[in-house]
Amino acid sequence: MLALENVSWTAADGEEILRNISLEVPDGKMTVITGPNGGGKTSLAKLIAGLINPTEGKILLDGTDITGWDMTERARHGISYAFQQPVRFKGLTVRDLLETSAEKKLDSAEVCGYLGEVGLCAEEYIDRVVDDSLSGGEGKRIEIATVLARKNVKLRVFDEPEAGIDLWSFTNLIEVFQRLKNKGGEALLVISHQERILEIADRIVVVDDGKIRIAGDRQEVLPRLLAQEKAARCPKEEERSCSK
């Protein structure tokens, strides 16, 4: 289990982005972090991955203090992270990237399996170079495939995985998350605004203005969020008709 204890983070310009965050991401569960843009969600994901370190507080993995560990060390100990904006790797093919993530050679069937899970045809992509020739959506799906190829993972972190992918691939992505949930054991953390992703969460955490506003089981939190969204869409003069 991952736990954050009273974590805060201040950016280099002095702006306090996260304030006194305490959060548990339990094993075998899917936790979705949501909230308004600019609220601190991606910064929180980067703290967990080790891209940035907290100004205050601790981050624990199975009781071990990993606060000072960088991204590489955290990856070695089972934290896998998919960036909001996929990283490009000149000279590396999709196969190279998947094999690096899996830490072994992969046969064509295995490569096809990982790419198929994110809606890509292996024959078309297996030898493609992971550079700017890929569209944003293609890069996103390939990065998700590399996260799926990782073994011995304790926590998989996805930062807005739906960004830049089409509806068919998004439906496929929902199925991927369902399969990961059904495997059990691993913790799954997703940053997302999408209602369909919120609907399959076990736990939902709302981050706004650098703080946790709401946290709890999906059955408790999601109806509150949907009610708030509906109220925000309905002008007061139309409140009666919107409530029908």
Side-chain angles (χ1 to χ4, degrees):
M1 181 178 72
L2 183 86
L4 280 68
E5 297 182 353
N6 306 117
V7 167
S8 297
W9 180 65
T10 301
D13 62 3
E15 181 182 2
E16 190 178 26
I17 305 299
L18 297 172
R19 303 173 179 86
N20 198 34
I21 298 282
S22 291
L23 170 68
E24 291 186 350
V25 183
D27 296 338
K29 301 288 184 181
M30 178 176 172
T31 300
V32 176
I33 296 178
T34 192
N37 291 331
K41 303 184 302 299
T42 290
S43 295
L44 185 56
K46 289 179 177 179
L47 277 172
I48 291 169
L51 288 165
I52 54 179
N53 289 321
T55 309
E56 298 178 2
K58 292 182 179 180
I59 302 175
L60 307 173
L61 181 64
D62 294 336
T64 298
D65 188 343
I66 65 170
T67 310
W69 293 5
D70 62 17
M71 187 177 186
T72 301
E73 189 67 15
R74 294 186 196 196
R76 289 195 188 111
H77 286 81
I79 296 179
S80 181
Y81 178 70
F83 289 84
Q84 187 179 65
Q85 297 296 326
V87 179
R88 307 295 183 167
F89 298 91
K90 291 183 179 179
L92 284 181
T93 66
V94 172
R95 178 192 281 277
D96 293 334
L97 204 57
L98 287 170
E99 290 182 340
T100 298
S101 186
E103 298 183 333
K104 67 172 187 176
K105 291 290 184 180
L106 300 174
D107 60 35
S108 295
E110 290 173 307
V111 173
C112 184
Y114 291 126
L115 292 176
E117 285 197 84
V118 295
L120 296 177
C121 174
E123 290 184 0
E124 294 180 11
Y125 287 92
I126 192 169
D127 294 320
R128 287 280 299 273
V129 176
V130 187
D131 59 13
D132 291 337
S133 67
L134 294 169
S135 70
E138 289 171 327
K140 189 76 172 180
R141 282 181 278 178
I142 288 167
E143 183 176 43
I144 292 171
T146 65
V147 173
L148 297 177
R150 285 283 310 279
K151 302 301 179 185
N152 302 316
V153 175
K154 295 180 179 179
L155 169 65
R156 297 183 194 268
V157 182
F158 296 87
D159 189 1
E160 297 196 18
E162 70 274 12
I165 61 175
D166 55 50
L167 181 60
W168 185 90
S169 297
F170 178 67
T171 301
N172 204 257
L173 180 65
I174 296 293
E175 294 174 358
V176 168
F177 287 151
Q178 290 279 26
R179 287 195 293 273
L180 289 173
K181 279 183 57 176
N182 293 338
K183 282 175 59 178
E186 299 176 359
L188 183 60
L189 181 66
V190 183
I191 313 296
S192 180
H193 298 281
Q194 284 288 334
E195 185 176 332
R196 286 185 63 191
I197 291 179
L198 292 168
E199 286 173 347
I200 65 170
D202 295 300
R203 291 180 54 78
I204 296 175
V205 178
V206 180
V207 176
D208 182 14
D209 193 28
K211 300 177 182 179
I212 293 179
R213 299 299 185 185
I214 310 171
D217 292 340
R218 180 196 68 237
Q219 296 89 335
E220 171 193 355
V221 175
L222 186 55
R224 294 170 62 184
L225 293 181
L226 295 178
Q228 290 172 6
E229 182 181 354
K230 181 177 180 180
R233 289 200 308 263
C234 296
K236 289 185 178 180
E237 62 269 22
E238 297 178 6
E239 186 173 352
R240 181 175 299 178
S241 62
C242 283
S243 64
K244 292 180 180 179

